[in-house]
């Protein structure tokens, strides 16, 4: 399986719905007519992370180590998570400014809401400005009460821009299967 080239990697952190990531992965592969003998899509809905003092330290460390590995190897393309975690990761310069990353024609098609923020760099050399897509109104969260806004971010070192753009188009029109299987 690992011999197939990966064309997209999407990780959900602190996922608030019971999304069937396997079905979503298959549906996206079908949507882009992917040759699954040669290529693969990776989606993970199992990661959790919390900045809360009562958080499970070992779980947080495992997630942090996994994220660092995925980003250093340029394997991660999209993270979908709560705003608090998104801000934390953005402070480590994980994300592109998605407003400048997305082409105008896609913006018109999906008509997204943006989450924008900026934070001071840890070394004091100015600010990091970043944005992600606010996805509370996406089909994924229909009917789900959210305590924190959910944000989709694109990683700065992604190698799969075309597939990210196709995924976003797919994501905004997808009928999510959230029934637990």
């Amino acid at each position: 399986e690992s011999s197939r080239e990966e064309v997209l990697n999407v990780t959900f952190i602190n996922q608030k719905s019971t999304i069937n990531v396997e079905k979503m992965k298959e549906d996206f592969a079908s949507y882009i007519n992917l040759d699954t003998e040669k290529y693969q899509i990776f989606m993970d809905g199992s990661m959790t992370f919390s900045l809360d003092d009562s958080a499970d330290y070992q779980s947080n460390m495992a997630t942090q180590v996994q994220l660092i590995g995925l980003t250093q190897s340029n394997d991660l393309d999209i993270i979908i998570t709560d705003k608090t975690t998104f801000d934390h990761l953005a402070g480590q310069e994980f994300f592109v400014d998605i407003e400048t990353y997305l082409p105008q024609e896609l913006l018109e098609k999906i008509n997204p809401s943006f989450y924008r923020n900026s934070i001071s760099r840890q070394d004091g050399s100015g600010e990091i400005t970043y944005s992600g897509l606010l996805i509370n109104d996406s089909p994924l969260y229909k009917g789900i009460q959210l305590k924190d806004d959910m944000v989709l971010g694109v990683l700065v070192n992604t190698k799969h821009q075309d597939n990210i753009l196709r995924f976003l188009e797919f994501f905004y029109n997808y009928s999510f299967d959230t029934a637990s299987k």
Side-chain angles (χ1 to χ4, degrees):
E1 178 149 315
S2 59
S3 63
R4 295 181 295 159
E5 184 185 335
E6 195 169 275
V7 297
L8 186 69
N9 185 314
V10 179
T11 295
F12 296 84
I13 303 174
N14 301 332
Q15 183 52 345
K16 302 296 185 223
S17 74
T18 54
I19 179 174
N20 184 336
V21 291
E22 283 305 310
K23 181 171 181 347
M24 183 180 186
K25 187 168 61 172
E26 290 165 14
D27 291 346
F28 180 64
S30 171
Y31 179 79
I32 62 172
N33 297 317
L34 188 68
D35 178 351
T36 54
E37 298 293 313
K38 291 183 183 167
Y39 304 100
Q40 65 181 340
I41 296 164
F42 181 81
M43 289 188 190
D44 181 359
S46 66
M47 279 194 207
T48 59
F49 186 81
S50 175
L51 296 167
D52 190 330
D53 288 341
S54 65
D56 177 353
Y57 178 77
Q58 287 180 316
S59 174
N60 271 357
M61 283 306 297
T63 294
Q64 196 78 6
V65 165
Q66 199 174 354
L67 287 174
I68 289 168
L70 287 167
T71 53
Q72 286 181 340
S73 61
N74 296 345
D75 286 338
L76 190 53
D77 299 304
I78 293 173
I79 291 178
I80 296 175
T81 190
D82 56 277
K83 185 171 65 174
T84 305
T85 302
F86 182 81
D87 284 340
H88 174 74
L89 296 174
Q92 297 173 36
E93 301 187 48
F94 269 54
F95 301 111
V96 299
D97 184 350
I98 204 162
E99 290 181 78
T100 58
Y101 180 83
L102 298 179
Q104 191 59 40
E105 63 197 52
L106 180 62
L107 290 173
E108 288 168 11
K109 263 187 203 171
I110 65 176
N111 191 22
S113 299
F114 292 104
Y115 170 65
R116 301 173 188 85
N117 204 355
S118 61
I119 50 176
S120 297
R121 290 184 193 274
Q122 290 177 337
D123 63 8
S125 65
E127 286 199 328
I128 303 164
T129 300
Y130 56 92
S131 66
L133 299 178
L134 200 54
I135 57 172
N136 295 4
D137 295 335
S138 74
L140 178 55
Y141 298 109
K142 284 236 185 310
I144 295 174
Q145 191 65 43
L146 298 170
K147 281 189 286 212
D148 197 359
D149 288 329
M150 297 302 285
V151 182
L152 183 151
V154 172
L155 277 87
V156 291
N157 57 358
T158 178
K159 299 177 292 197
H160 302 123
Q161 182 175 20
D162 288 349
N163 286 330
I164 287 170
L165 300 179
R166 293 164 82 189
F167 177 77
L168 290 175
E169 213 169 278
F170 166 84
F171 181 84
Y172 275 87
N173 294 297
Y174 186 59
S175 296
F176 285 91
D177 176 3
T178 56
S180 48
K181 298 235 176 322

